[in-house]
Amino acid sequence: MKRKQIAVCDREQDYTLRFTEYANRRRDPVFTVHGFTSCGELAGYAEEHPVDILLICEELSKEIGDKTRYGQIFYLSENEYQEKETDAPRVYKFQSCPQIMRTVLSGYAEQTPEGPGTALRQNRMKQIGVYSPVGRIGKTSFALALGRELAKQKRTLYLNLEEYSGFSVLYPYGDGWTLSELMYFLKQGKNAFVCKLESIVRRLGSLDYIPPLKSPVELRHISRKDWECLLEALGRESHYEMLILDMSGAVDGLFELLGHCDGVYTPIREDEVSGAKLCQYEETLRLLDLEEVLEKTKKFWLSQEKDLETFIRAEGKRWLSP
């Protein structure tokens, strides 16, 4: 996979150093960042290394000469609010590095010409579904715990497809972009999906996640075909090795999506009502000729916390083994 080359040029050496160190700390295959403190250093580097994105302080922007050699340019501005227009987008310099990178990558993705996505991987991304017809059973807690376990060794993405995920309360992300913006971008058919994805993804330790939809109304407007396009794009263009799908019954094409998974986890309870719901769910799969989902489903009872931790470690080891 060819990384996007990002150059940062600012006279403040400490700022440039801290920015590049932080941006490269994740060792992300999507991009790599190089820092410069003068336009001469930048020009020398660009002669032999194509620059896809350039972040440069406004005071140096007049010294870079031929701007066409630097791909897409963003000006690092010391003023958060400016009305005067410039020939390149501005980014507020003194905000967090993750927020700057999200803004830049999203802007780059939006301006990239439309076209088919490029396959960036050789190994297939594994998909793990988590679903239960029984409510209030700790499904999401399990899905996150399994994701964190897998993320210790594999690049793992968690995707919540519930009507009410509660993520905006549990893990506040402010007014940032969500799965809704990613789905809209995908429908536009642009070819910088991986950059748009990277601009939206948030992190829980080593586990990546896409902020879920904010309203159940949004979920109902996403079709089975839309979900399949998203999973195809993730499998083709992203750098993730594992995908956790935390699903609800409100997902259009739920059963078909479960059928695409390499494995399915179904938490259960050992009471009469829960057993009846599970029985009806399994009978539905048989009526739809989806016995394959039953064959790759592992049912388990979320009992004591210590037992759950042992189970998650064992399952993580199973998925991570060659």
Side-chain angles (χ1 to χ4, degrees):
M1 174 179 176
K2 184 179 179 181
R3 296 186 181 190
K4 298 297 180 184
Q5 301 298 308
I6 302 177
V8 179
C9 189
D10 191 286
R11 283 201 176 106
E12 296 182 34
Q13 185 174 4
D14 288 344
Y15 177 87
T16 303
L17 181 61
R18 288 196 302 269
F19 188 97
T20 53
E21 285 184 346
Y22 189 93
N24 288 323
R25 189 178 301 170
R26 191 167 175 248
R27 299 178 182 178
D28 200 309
V30 174
F31 61 83
T32 185
V33 181
H34 307 274
F36 307 93
T37 55
S38 72
C39 290
E41 292 177 350
L42 172 64
Y45 177 84
E47 286 181 1
E48 298 184 5
H49 305 88
V51 174
D52 298 293
I53 301 171
L54 170 62
L55 284 74
I56 186 168
C57 63
E58 286 191 277
E59 60 183 291
L60 289 177
S61 61
K62 297 179 182 179
E63 303 177 19
I64 59 176
D66 183 10
K67 296 181 179 180
T68 60
R69 64 193 296 192
Y70 295 112
Q72 192 168 343
I73 299 175
F74 294 83
Y75 292 153
L76 291 170
S77 175
E78 295 186 3
N79 299 313
E80 188 171 2
Y81 304 103
Q82 293 187 11
E83 295 182 359
K84 182 180 177 181
E85 294 185 2
T86 57
D87 58 344
R90 283 194 181 102
V91 181
Y92 181 48
K93 177 179 177 180
F94 300 116
Q95 59 184 319
S96 69
C97 177
Q99 184 57 44
I100 291 175
M101 292 304 300
R102 281 193 286 267
T103 301
V104 167
L105 289 172
S106 179
Y108 176 83
E110 293 290 348
Q111 294 302 317
T112 300
E114 295 184 7
T118 304
L120 301 177
R121 66 163 75 238
Q122 293 181 344
N123 298 325
R124 178 178 171 274
M125 178 184 69
K126 293 182 180 179
Q127 299 180 23
I128 301 172
V130 183
Y131 172 75
S132 177
V134 182
R136 301 193 61 169
I137 201 171
K139 174 177 65 68
T140 293
S141 296
F142 166 77
L144 287 170
L146 179 61
R148 288 189 176 102
E149 185 68 23
L150 296 174
K152 293 177 181 178
Q153 297 186 40
K154 298 285 188 179
R155 292 186 293 270
T156 304
L157 178 67
Y158 168 86
L159 190 57
N160 186 293
L161 307 184
E162 295 182 302
E163 290 179 284
Y164 299 98
S165 68
F167 264 55
S168 60
V169 177
L170 294 170
Y171 313 106
Y173 42 85
D175 296 325
W177 297 300
T178 69
L179 177 60
S180 179
E181 282 74 24
L182 183 62
M183 298 299 288
Y184 177 74
F185 180 88
L186 189 62
K187 288 182 179 181
Q188 291 179 302
K190 296 183 178 180
N191 72 351
F193 171 80
V194 68
C195 289
K196 187 66 176 181
L197 172 67
E198 187 64 24
S199 73
I200 294 176
V201 161
R202 299 298 180 105
R203 293 170 183 92
L204 295 172
S206 57
L207 176 65
D208 286 6
Y209 75 97
I210 299 174
L213 301 168
K214 294 181 178 179
S215 165
V217 176
E218 293 180 299
L219 182 62
R220 297 188 187 106
H221 287 152
I222 300 177
S223 68
R224 167 189 167 184
K225 183 179 179 181
D226 294 333
W227 291 125
E228 291 177 343
C229 287
L230 173 64
L231 298 183
E232 181 183 353
L234 288 170
R236 182 183 65 242
E237 300 180 50
S238 80
H239 61 279
Y240 292 106
E241 300 166 278
M242 311 291 294
L243 174 66
I244 304 287
L245 291 172
D246 186 358
M247 293 187 275
S248 72
V251 174
D252 185 35
L254 167 67
F255 299 120
E256 290 78 9
L257 293 179
L258 289 172
H260 292 320
C261 291
D262 297 281
V264 178
Y265 289 95
T266 297
I268 61 174
R269 280 199 183 106
E270 295 183 347
D271 63 84
E272 184 177 6
V273 174
S274 298
K277 291 183 177 182
L278 180 66
C279 181
Q280 183 180 0
Y281 162 66
E282 293 179 340
E283 183 60 28
T284 300
L285 289 174
R286 294 188 183 95
L287 290 173
L288 295 173
D289 293 326
L290 289 173
E291 286 89 350
E292 59 179 300
V293 175
L294 295 174
E295 293 172 0
K296 56 188 172 186
T297 293
K298 178 167 286 192
K299 295 179 287 187
F300 61 98
W301 182 31
L302 290 170
S303 53
Q304 297 181 359
E305 184 176 346
K306 290 184 179 179
D307 292 340
L308 178 59
E309 290 177 357
T310 301
F311 177 70
I312 289 172
R313 284 197 298 269
E315 291 304 300
K317 184 177 180 180
R318 182 172 70 87
W319 283 105
L320 295 172
S321 61

